Amino acid sequence: MDNIIDLRSDTVTKPTKGMLEAMLQAKVGDDVFNEDPTVIALEKKVSEMFEMEAALFCPSGTMTNQIAIKAHTQPLDEVICDKLSHIYQYETGGFAFNSQVSIKLLDGDNGIINAAQVEAAIQPDYDWLPNTSLVVIENTCNKGGGGYYSLDQIVSISQKCKEHKLKFHLDGARIFNAIIEAGYTTKDLGKQFDSISICLSKGLGAPVGSLLIGKKDFIKKARKIRKVLGGGMRQAGILAAAGVYALENHIELLRADHQKARKIGAVLEQLPYIESVIPVRSNIVIFKLNGLMKDIDFLNKLEKARIKAVQFGPQTIRFVTHLDFTDEMLEQTIKILKETRN
Ligand SMILES: *Cc1c(COP(=O)(O)O)cnc(C)c1O
């Protein structure tokens, strides 16, 4: 399917030759016995990057988020997050299924919430109310169009959490996209959160894998929850090697993904069939079509031109740029967008 331009997600990338080499060379063992040297090395690398105590390699970002919610809460607790959050929108209601907690949704600015909103959402201590115990933010925010937090915004929410004894989790599926743009470091972030979840299989281009990072006691508990969810993997070093390779070679490449996304955003702004584009801040472009173009027709026209995209709501489309989206594909995409007529 080589000549298809796939902008549905940054999860569609295939491992590069260098990554496959690294996977072939990986030393492996049984990771359920904690004996896979490559998994151990990846967990150590990531916990050191964020200056947190420990990390846990998991099959998916859904699992790392779900483990974090389970480990930080009790049944009858409530989790505060933005209404666009992945944990609310795209994890099959797992917060209720796995953790028996309720969710308090905030109306943020394209997915970005602030400390005042968090404070106002904390439940008073009455028998008839759930017990607020966890705040989750998403950085960058997928459904918010890939926007990111400033360090000040994060620090003020973190302080609010400490003041009210709430745990603070970062859904950092695309945290390196935020870091590249916002100018803070992994270490700056490590200080602010009780736990962080990162994805290797999004912009970083690994085939599989996410890490949950936090204190030693938390990760010990997380290991048990990973096992009961069926996420204990055996010779997982083959996958972890791809993750190590991605962290060493692919972070800087995100910059080029962002440039391409900004170029597409700028072109879309000028087209007659576009109603609005969420300001492009990383590798995600979310836009609305106006009355001149029906969403289904638009997707069909793109499909005929061998470009794949996803619908992201009524009249709303998402493009995500990634490692396998080349300069030639960018030119071709822009050409097709300009030529498309209703
Ligand atoms: C992709 C994603 C996840 C995790 O998804 P998996 O497909 O389960 O790895 C979590 N949060 C956000 C914001 C994501 O985009």
Side-chain angles (χ1 to χ4, degrees):
M1 294 293 144
D2 274 327
N3 52 355
I4 287 186
I5 299 177
D6 197 342
L7 290 168
R8 287 174 303 169
S9 174
D10 47 5
T11 55
V12 301
T13 55
K14 309 279 164 57
T16 60
K17 200 153 177 290
M19 185 178 276
L20 287 169
E21 287 292 326
M23 294 169 81
L24 275 175
Q25 306 290 326
K27 291 199 169 56
V28 296
D30 188 329
D31 185 49
V32 172
F33 292 133
N34 218 344
E35 282 173 4
D36 187 296
T38 311
V39 171
I40 291 168
L42 172 64
E43 291 172 345
K44 181 161 180 287
K45 181 180 181 64
V46 168
S47 53
E48 284 173 2
M49 276 175 96
F50 286 83
E51 263 181 8
M52 293 174 95
E53 289 177 7
L56 183 68
F57 185 52
C58 293
S60 73
T62 298
M63 190 180 284
T64 50
N65 282 337
Q66 290 300 316
I67 291 173
I69 294 170
K70 183 76 184 166
H72 286 313
T73 64
Q74 303 283 334
L76 306 182
D77 280 359
E78 186 160 81
V79 178
I80 296 174
C81 66
D82 185 81
K83 66 184 190 301
L84 302 180
S85 300
H86 195 278
I87 60 161
Y88 177 69
Q89 296 271 349
Y90 300 118
E91 298 186 8
T92 332
F95 61 89
F97 186 76
N98 294 315
S99 301
Q100 295 168 266
V101 295
S102 60
I103 287 248
K104 183 84 169 182
L105 294 178
L106 300 185
D107 189 14
D109 176 13
N110 282 330
I112 307 293
I113 59 175
N114 62 47
Q117 288 175 307
V118 168
E119 185 156 51
I122 297 170
Q123 300 281 19
D125 183 17
Y126 292 124
D127 290 349
W128 52 89
L129 294 175
N131 174 40
T132 307
S133 65
L134 171 65
V135 176
V136 178
I137 65 167
E138 185 174 315
N139 195 21
T140 66
C141 180
N142 169 28
K143 206 171 170 62
Y148 49 85
Y149 284 81
S150 70
L151 189 56
D152 283 351
Q153 289 172 313
I154 292 170
V155 169
S156 61
I157 299 174
S158 175
Q159 282 169 349
K160 205 50 80 186
C161 289
K162 286 202 182 81
E163 209 180 291
H164 293 275
K165 299 197 162 45
L166 309 177
K167 299 291 183 194
F168 192 23
H169 172 72
L170 168 63
D171 178 354
R174 295 192 180 81
I175 195 58
F176 295 102
N177 297 82
I179 285 172
I180 284 265
E181 293 294 331
Y184 39 73
T185 64
T186 44
K187 287 178 182 153
D188 294 333
L189 295 173
K191 291 192 220 336
Q192 303 305 327
F193 293 94
D194 295 292
S195 56
I196 297 179
S197 140
I198 68 168
C199 280
L200 302 167
S201 60
K202 298 278 166 82
L204 293 182
V208 176
S210 287
L211 286 116
L212 183 60
I213 325 165
K215 286 216 166 24
K216 277 205 177 89
D217 286 355
F218 168 81
I219 293 298
K220 186 169 167 19
K221 197 169 169 189
R223 244 188 115 79
K224 196 160 240 197
I225 301 168
R226 181 184 69 173
K227 192 70 180 79
V228 77
L229 294 177
M233 298 183 286
R234 303 296 178 173
Q235 284 72 36
I238 292 174
L239 300 172
V244 172
Y245 182 91
L247 290 167
E248 286 173 357
N249 296 282
H250 290 173
I251 294 176
E252 270 304 311
L253 303 181
L254 295 171
R255 228 177 267 287
D257 295 348
H258 297 186
Q259 270 165 3
K260 291 188 182 96
R262 277 193 288 268
K263 281 189 184 155
I264 294 174
V267 168
L268 288 169
E269 296 268 11
Q270 305 300 321
L271 295 174
Y273 56 85
I274 301 293
E275 167 103 14
S276 59
V277 185
I278 298 179
V280 179
R281 303 185 71 197
S282 58
N283 69 332
I284 296 175
V285 188
I286 295 180
F287 55 100
K288 266 192 138 63
L289 304 163
N290 63 26
L292 294 177
M293 184 77 80
K294 260 208 69 56
D295 44 21
I296 298 297
D297 295 341
F298 181 69
L299 288 171
N300 284 337
K301 285 169 204 285
L302 288 187
E303 187 87 36
K304 283 210 182 79
R306 307 184 77 75
I307 297 175
K308 289 181 179 234
V310 291
Q311 179 151 5
F312 232 52
Q315 289 292 88
T316 309
I317 308 291
R318 185 187 74 168
F319 290 156
V320 189
T321 59
H322 51 74
L323 268 179
D324 290 354
F325 180 63
T326 62
D327 289 333
E328 296 72 50
M329 290 176 181
L330 172 65
E331 271 176 42
Q332 174 69 6
T333 301
I334 289 174
K335 181 169 166 282
I336 297 297
L337 288 173
K338 287 181 170 168
E339 285 171 7
T340 298
R341 294 283 177 275
N342 54 307

